[in-house]
Amino acid sequence: MRRTLLATGLALLLAGTGCAAGGQTPASSAGAPTASRQDAGQAERTLASLRKVDDLPLYEMTYVGDYDPTVGISGTPEASPFGCSLFAALGDRTRPLFARNFDWDPNPALVLRTDPPDAYASISLVDMSYLGVGDDPAGDRRLLNAPLLPFDGMNERGLAVGLAADDGATARPVPGRPTVGSVRILRLVLDEAATVDEAIAVFERYNLDFDGGPPLHYLLADATGASAVIEFVDGAMRAEKGRGTWQALTNVPAVGVADRDLRRDHRYGLLAEALDRAGGAVDAPTALRMLDAVRQRHTRWSVVYGLKTGEVRLVTAGGAGERAYRLPMG
């Protein structure tokens, strides 16, 4: 179900984190969780659902009850020259896919399920270090902030979103819009948007705050086979919709850039060649092989989202092989 967006001027203080050229150190361990709008029983069931599933380490958790996506948490920037790779394979309109490598620091990760009462259910991946969670997360109530930090994800309507760093991006605030952190916007999109057009509209309601982390750009795709890249060019948001059977994104600006120039980026070029050969129609095993071809030594996870099937295929650097999940599609 859709959550009504809060049309307030509240500044959300979660600074952005991303893939490449900068980031945030994990949030301070001090302070109580702030996002939870659960009763005591719901909070305890959420924490009790946490389990470790591989040696990345990767954890899984189901969030029971509601949360407030407008609450801020913050961290401290730290330089880190890493990168990410994303693509939407849309040539087979019966089985469109969204895929991404998350390339970052060696931190624990969390597969998070959420189903708040007035928003879409979703499954997302979280870098747990930004919650301030230590080596032993069991019972740590800071996990109740996990909905605030989706680095990629898909909701029950088949809308998927992921981020990557874009060093040249600048976001100039528009008067009258509330400000949201550059990772937090993914939560608002997953909660609110069923289509790429609706996701673009969510971005347009907010100013993005890149302070405290690298500037970012975003890839969106939905179950209808639509896709778009969102970037911030000369301070202004620009959305470029996909016009073919696929759309890809790495760490070079893409909006308004000629295809031949984009392919000069090594990872983008490899993905583009494979997607061209397939006509943009690939299955999940093929998508994971494509992600493996552009993986880096610091790739933490590779994930493929089935935008119509709700299937999620995940491989981490934890060495436990592929894991499969299913999000019931609404």
Side-chain angles (χ1 to χ4, degrees), residues 103-143:
D103 306 340
W104 200 236
D105 292 320
N107 302 324
L110 176 69
V111 177
L112 179 69
R113 293 180 179 272
T114 56
D115 189 6
D118 295 314
Y120 295 128
S122 67
I123 188 166
S124 60
L125 281 155
V126 176
D127 182 328
M128 291 172 65
S129 66
Y130 294 91
L131 299 169
V133 174
D135 293 336
D136 182 11
D140 193 321
R141 299 186 69 82
R142 287 169 295 186
L143 290 168

Side-chain angles (χ1 to χ4, degrees), residues 10-15 24 27-28 30-37 67-75 130-131 145 148-149 179-182 184 209:
L10 179 65
L12 307 181
L13 301 179
L14 175 61
Q24 283 182 295
S28 167
T34 54
S36 171
R37 294 300 177 263
Y67 50 82
D68 184 350
T70 68
V71 172
I73 58 176
S74 62
Y130 294 91
L131 299 169
N145 279 328
L148 305 182
L149 287 167
T179 298
V180 59
S182 55
R184 184 69 54 80
D209 179 8

